[in-house]
Amino acid sequence: MPVPLLDLRAQHATIRDEVVRDLMRVVDDQLFILGEPVERLEKSVAELSKTKYAIGCANGTDAILLSLRALDIGRGDEVVTTPFTFFATAGTVHNVGATPVFVDIEPDTFNISADAVRAAIGPKTKAVIPVDLFGQMAAIERVEAAAPGIPIIEDAAQSIGAKRRIGNDWVMAGERTTVGTLSFFPSKNLGAYGDAGMILTQDEALATRLKRLRVHGGAKTYYHDEVGYNSRLDALQAAVLQAKLPHLEAWSAKRRANAVYYDRAFADLADVKTPYVEPCNVSIFNQYTVRVARRDALQSFLKEKGIGNSIYYPLPLHLQPCFAYLGYKVGSCPESERAAGEVLSLPIYPELEQSQLDEVISAVRAFYGR
Ligand SMILES: Cc1ncc(COP(=O)(O)O)c(C=O)c1O
């Protein structure tokens, strides 16, 4: 029986009536741009993330781009970030005219190394972008300590609702940093039926500026204080996300339960290193990513057996052709490069049935002769 990496239709089938009802409400009202559906979602996501403000925008990429602009980052500035992430994290830095400075990751969590951040800070550093990769928050308090006084844009595209214990407090993804950015790309734990994104902040002035930047830089229609973008969160997508939001916690809990099941099933395989979640973190497992021996051969074997899988990410950003101008070489970020050669993500979505989980496990075990 084939097992897909992700089955969005399985999820849609469980919520179809609620989603279609709420979508039709927007269609009947014919109010498609911002307005009540978007404001309601912004309020709900701000509550979930414990932030004062949440500003909807067109996608998770724009959430980072708008944040960089709101922090006045541009030509001549440097932004320190990880190369082991989706392209948007650094593509946006380039697109505002600034220079991405790539530093290596911690090998166990795949998240940015705070020590590496500290070593990269210089007079031109205007922000740090840690990424909460695969559903697990980065060590943001260590990044803060490594970059005192420097704004932090937490790329939480994969980690809505993740939390981390810092001292005695549980901190939500995007709650504590200068801004947190979210993506509602369909494959995220909270996925739209198209593109959508959001920016979280506790800072009123930043929130005001971000709201202006997403509508061509004008607080008042047809008057422009600065040049912004057309980057609104679509009202139809807001309705979808609002209908799905009450299910998010249960979906993420099911992903965690699936992860525990896999962890146990692979525990005796020396060739499979299961994901490490720091004891102070609660991951939402947007991906279940293992490090394995003979990765490419395992991938072909699983493909043959119809087991969905993917490599996030096969080429770290510092080695991407488009960033050759920055002068990084093989060996510049060795942990990211090693991870790129060893990782494989397996199906983890909440609607997986027991028989499907077992199918994935048998296939992986069979490859290693167990
Ligand atoms: C880590 C990370 N950053 C940024 C993004 C960009 O989000 P979007 O695809 O909504 O533009 C994504 C989404 O794929 C992501 O995974």
Side-chain angles (χ1 to χ4, degrees):
M1 177 187 48
V3 183
L5 181 62
L6 176 65
D7 184 355
L8 290 173
R9 280 181 304 185
Q11 179 166 96
H12 177 63
T14 67
I15 51 170
R16 188 181 184 284
D17 291 348
E18 302 152 51
V19 173
V20 170
R21 180 199 61 207
D22 293 356
L23 272 175
M24 286 316 293
R25 205 166 281 158
V26 177
V27 172
D28 289 339
D29 288 347
Q30 292 285 295
L31 295 172
F32 297 117
I33 305 297
L34 297 175
E36 196 270 340
V38 175
E39 281 167 23
R40 208 169 135 222
L41 181 72
E42 289 173 336
K43 193 161 171 283
S44 303
V45 174
E47 254 164 44
L48 167 76
S49 306
K50 297 201 270 175
T51 59
K52 284 198 190 126
Y53 307 96
I55 300 98
C57 62
N59 52 61
T61 304
D62 278 7
I64 304 169
L65 185 81
L66 292 165
S67 299
L68 289 161
R69 282 289 311 276
L71 291 164
D72 290 317
I73 292 166
R75 211 164 298 282
D77 297 335
E78 291 181 355
V79 177
V80 176
T81 192
T82 162
F84 196 61
T85 176
F86 180 65
F87 183 74
T89 311
T92 47
V93 174
H94 171 98
N95 280 341
V96 297
T99 303
V101 174
F102 293 113
V103 301
D104 216 351
I105 53 169
E106 293 172 349
D108 49 1
T109 61
F110 303 115
N111 280 329
I112 199 166
S113 153
D115 289 340
V117 170
R118 184 175 291 108
I121 300 291
K124 293 182 181 169
T125 312
K126 291 290 156 29
V128 181
I129 311 184
V131 178
D132 299 335
L133 203 69
F134 302 149
Q136 169 168 216
M137 281 175 69
I140 49 169
E141 74 288 4
R142 297 207 290 270
V143 172
E144 284 165 2
I150 295 174
I152 295 179
I153 299 171
E154 181 181 353
D155 181 349
Q158 303 180 4
S159 294
I160 184 172
K163 53 186 174 181
R164 178 175 179 87
R165 204 182 52 245
I166 300 176
N168 291 324
D169 300 326
W170 280 101
V171 174
M172 302 299 293
E175 176 187 348
R176 165 170 162 141
T177 43
T178 313
V179 294
T181 61
L182 300 175
S183 164
F184 302 115
F185 186 79
S187 64
K188 305 302 193 228
N189 288 34
L190 182 65
Y193 289 4
D195 279 308
M198 201 168 276
I199 307 151
L200 306 166
T201 186
Q202 310 285 9
D203 184 316
E204 187 180 359
L206 274 179
T208 304
R209 180 102 185 263
L210 286 161
K211 278 192 172 172
R212 200 168 76 186
L213 280 165
R214 76 174 169 183
V215 287
H216 295 295
K220 198 169 143 199
T221 312
Y222 306 127
Y223 293 85
H224 302 272
D225 309 297
E226 60 184 325
V227 179
Y229 306 85
N230 176 0
S231 184
R232 299 172 293 233
L233 195 159
D234 191 283
L236 284 168
Q237 299 303 340
V240 171
L241 292 164
Q242 189 75 51
K244 289 178 96 177
L245 191 56
H247 302 280
L248 176 64
E249 206 174 303
W251 288 334
S252 294
K254 184 62 170 45
R255 284 169 179 267
R256 276 193 291 277
N258 290 345
V260 169
Y261 193 72
Y262 279 145
D263 285 352
R264 288 194 184 131
F266 297 140
D268 63 324
L269 299 183
D271 287 327
V272 176
K273 192 176 174 310
T274 54
Y276 174 71
V277 177
E278 282 188 89
C280 59
N281 267 338
V282 175
S283 173
I284 63 156
F285 278 98
N286 182 241
Q287 299 296 341
Y288 182 85
T289 304
V290 290
R291 269 186 198 263
V292 291
R294 293 182 286 136
R295 193 268 315 274
D296 294 350
L298 172 63
Q299 183 173 41
S300 308
F301 181 82
L302 294 178
K303 211 168 166 190
E304 232 168 70
K305 294 215 165 295
I307 306 292
N309 64 79
S310 193
I311 298 170
Y312 305 113
Y313 296 92
L315 184 64
L317 301 188
H318 67 289
L319 299 179
Q320 294 286 344
C322 66
F323 289 135
Y325 73 93
L326 295 171
Y328 294 93
K329 298 275 179 296
V330 172
S332 298
C333 297
E335 291 300 348
S336 303
E337 293 161 31
R338 194 159 69 85
E342 294 179 355
V343 290
L344 194 68
S345 297
L346 300 173
I348 188 74
Y349 63 92
E351 296 77 21
L352 275 172
E353 288 169 14
Q354 185 65 44
S355 57
Q356 294 178 301
L357 287 165
D358 291 335
E359 194 95 14
V360 175
I361 291 165
S362 313
V364 172
R365 293 187 67 84
F367 177 77
Y368 293 108
R370 304 293 289 269

